[in-house]
Amino acid sequence: MFGKGKAALGFIFVTLLIDVIGFGIIIPVMPKLIQELTGATLSVASSYGGWLLFAYAFMQFICAPIVGNLSDRFGRRPVLLASLFGFGIDYLFLAYAPTLAWLFVGRFVAGVMGASFTTASAYIADVSTPEKRAQNFGIIGAAFGLGFIIGPLIGGLVGVYGTRIPFLVAAGLTLVNWLYGFFILPESLSPENRRKFEWKRANPVGSLISLKRFPIITGLIASLVLLYISAHAVQTNWSYYTIERFHWDERMIGISLTVVGLVMAIVQGGLIRVIIPKLGQERSVYVGLSLYALGYFLYAISTQSWMMFAVTVPYCLGAIAGPALQGIISNTVPRNEQGELQGALTSLMSLTAIFGPPLMTNIFYLFTNVNAPIYLPGAPMLLGAVLTVISALLARRSLKKAILARAGTSVEATG
């Protein structure tokens, strides 16, 4: 299996890349589409945008552990293909949505089918040796980075011809992705490593409870949760913030996200394979979280467009933290439970996305509407910085406990 690892990682990378391109295409036009359907101001539209992401995340939270357990039972390939096909149909649905309510219906459907990254994470764990998992998990970030180089740029360019056009392009690319996977993507989980499907382990609560069997990683998971929440300060608000602060149009939003994607791809697709082995996973967590916090703060206080591009460098360098944390967590779990673990982590990500987007977009609304107590469009980024600092403190505490636990085990073994 590991001899075929590089080829398999190449397959999964291309699959995820096309998937992210489809997602990235629609980002620059979402604020304008919501405004067209509702007649609302940008400030109000941002709140609707947060609730649309809430709808997607809520359904993914419910369905991700089911998908993870199904991939442990039937293999990664069929589950991943079903997810991609569902996303393609969803984009077509959104392209013709006549009202805001139909956008919500589409987001619910997408959440049900949103299993591609859950299954991809398990796939990567299948074909990676324990010492290479942290670096190989970085290809997810690299796919995100490259996808956001191409996707938002296409979205920004074709969005000038109509807010619905990017959804049609996204549908086409996602269905091409499905065809690619159908003919090219091999199975990664051998029959002897599969296990029976159990409903008690395939629900969001049961999936999260199962993490209690690995007490050493609970603090790290808490750190990861805060990291996910803080990420929505930028991910959810980028379009609204840059339109409000700098009066960017769809084209400029697309270009800016392309730059973010390029830097992210360089970090997670290349630098991460040098930085994590050199610093070690633990130190990579601390350095990455510190850079994230700095990036959020600098985004919040930026006053000119060029500053957003400059701050992207330290912000994206912070991306070494996520794969390092995920690698530490993954190495504590047996191979035949990787699907369950990744399903549980995706459920956590979705749980934070249930609260993160409405939290951050409503903070944006609170500080940008006509009745705002103080005009501060960067407020969500400042909150992101605070949450990231707390995440770093939790990670430090948890890793110290893990080191003491290993030291105690070593003493007992030598004794």
Side-chain angles (χ1 to χ4, degrees):
M1 171 63 70
F2 295 126
K4 301 178 181 179
K6 288 186 177 180
L9 288 172
F11 293 145
I12 206 71
F13 173 76
V14 173
T15 300
L16 290 175
L17 174 62
I18 300 175
D19 198 23
V20 176
I21 289 172
F23 182 78
I25 281 174
I26 69 174
I27 293 176
V29 298
M30 280 302 290
K32 188 174 180 180
L33 177 60
I34 294 171
Q35 287 183 286
E36 287 180 359
L37 292 175
T38 63
T41 64
L42 179 69
S43 186
V44 175
S46 71
S47 181
Y48 285 133
W51 290 114
L52 282 168
L53 290 172
F54 165 89
Y56 170 81
F58 177 78
M59 292 309 298
Q60 192 178 61
F61 173 69
I62 299 298
C63 297
I66 297 175
V67 168
N69 278 266
L70 284 172
S71 76
D72 281 343
R73 172 64 183 89
F74 297 105
R76 318 302 185 198
R77 186 176 184 274
V79 173
L80 184 58
L81 292 178
S83 169
L84 297 178
F85 185 78
F87 263 126
I89 299 302
D90 173 64
Y91 285 131
L92 288 174
F93 185 89
L94 293 176
Y96 296 101
T99 65
L100 183 66
W102 283 105
L103 286 185
F104 276 97
V105 173
R107 292 292 81 192
F108 273 111
V109 172
V112 173
M113 303 305 296
S116 56
F117 285 90
T118 303
T119 313
S121 296
Y123 194 109
I124 291 168
D126 291 339
V127 300
S128 304
T129 58
E131 61 273 15
K132 290 289 185 180
R133 277 185 186 149
Q135 294 97 307
N136 289 341
F137 277 131
I139 76 165
I140 296 177
F144 260 106
L146 285 176
F148 277 110
I149 292 172
I150 302 169
L153 183 60
I154 295 174
L157 294 176
V158 304
V160 300
Y161 299 105
T163 53
R164 309 299 182 122
I165 302 300
F167 292 92
L168 294 174
V169 177
L173 285 174
T174 305
L175 291 175
V176 167
N177 187 9
W178 172 75
L179 284 174
Y180 172 85
F182 185 83
F183 289 107
I184 301 297
L185 190 68
E187 179 56 65
S188 65
L189 186 65
S190 58
E192 63 270 18
N193 283 326
R194 300 180 188 182
R195 62 176 177 81
K196 288 179 60 178
F197 180 87
E198 300 176 52
W199 277 108
K200 66 180 180 180
R201 299 172 72 173
N203 64 82
V205 177
S207 179
L208 297 178
I209 290 175
S210 70
L211 293 174
K212 287 186 176 180
R213 293 185 291 116
F214 310 102
I216 287 180
I217 65 175
T218 54
L220 295 177
I221 290 173
S223 176
L224 206 57
V225 165
L226 290 178
L227 188 61
Y228 290 154
I229 294 174
S230 64
H232 288 287
V234 170
Q235 292 175 6
T236 305
N237 278 300
W238 184 271
S239 297
Y240 305 103
Y241 177 69
T242 54
I243 292 171
E244 176 71 22
R245 192 74 175 252
F246 309 109
H247 307 292
W248 287 1
D249 58 11
E250 294 94 337
R251 178 177 171 274
M252 191 61 182
I253 293 170
I255 291 172
S256 67
L257 289 173
T258 295
V259 172
V260 172
L262 177 61
V263 179
M264 189 68 74
I266 292 172
V267 172
Q268 293 205 319
L271 292 180
I272 197 171
R273 294 177 178 272
V274 177
I275 295 173
I276 289 182
K278 189 165 185 177
L279 294 180
Q281 292 184 353
E282 182 178 345
R283 192 175 297 175
S284 295
V285 170
Y286 300 145
V287 172
L289 292 176
S290 298
L291 288 169
Y292 262 146
L294 176 64
Y296 289 129
F297 177 75
L298 294 177
Y299 276 142
I301 64 173
S302 293
T303 57
Q304 298 184 45
S305 292
W306 68 265
M307 295 179 180
M308 296 295 288
F309 290 92
V311 174
T312 293
V313 175
Y315 174 76
C316 289
L317 282 171
I320 64 173
L325 271 172
Q326 198 171 3
I328 294 170
I329 292 169
S330 178
N331 286 339
T332 67
V333 176
R335 182 173 300 168
N336 67 350
E337 295 182 357
Q338 287 293 329
E340 182 180 12
L341 171 67
Q342 301 306 329
L345 292 179
T346 301
S347 289
L348 279 173
M349 185 185 298
S350 298
L351 185 61
T352 61
I354 290 173
F355 302 105
L359 171 65
M360 296 301 182
T361 56
N362 278 287
I363 287 176
F364 178 82
Y365 167 75
L366 178 64
F367 287 96
T368 58
N369 75 84
V370 293
N371 298 314
I374 180 175
Y375 181 73
L376 188 63
M381 281 78 166
L382 294 176
L383 177 58
V386 172
L387 292 177
T388 304
V389 170
I390 297 172
S391 173
L393 294 174
L394 285 174
R396 177 179 172 80
R397 180 185 178 194
S398 181
L399 288 170
K400 275 189 172 183
K401 286 184 177 180
I403 292 171
L404 290 173
R406 285 197 297 267
T409 302
S410 299
V411 170
E412 291 178 5
T414 55

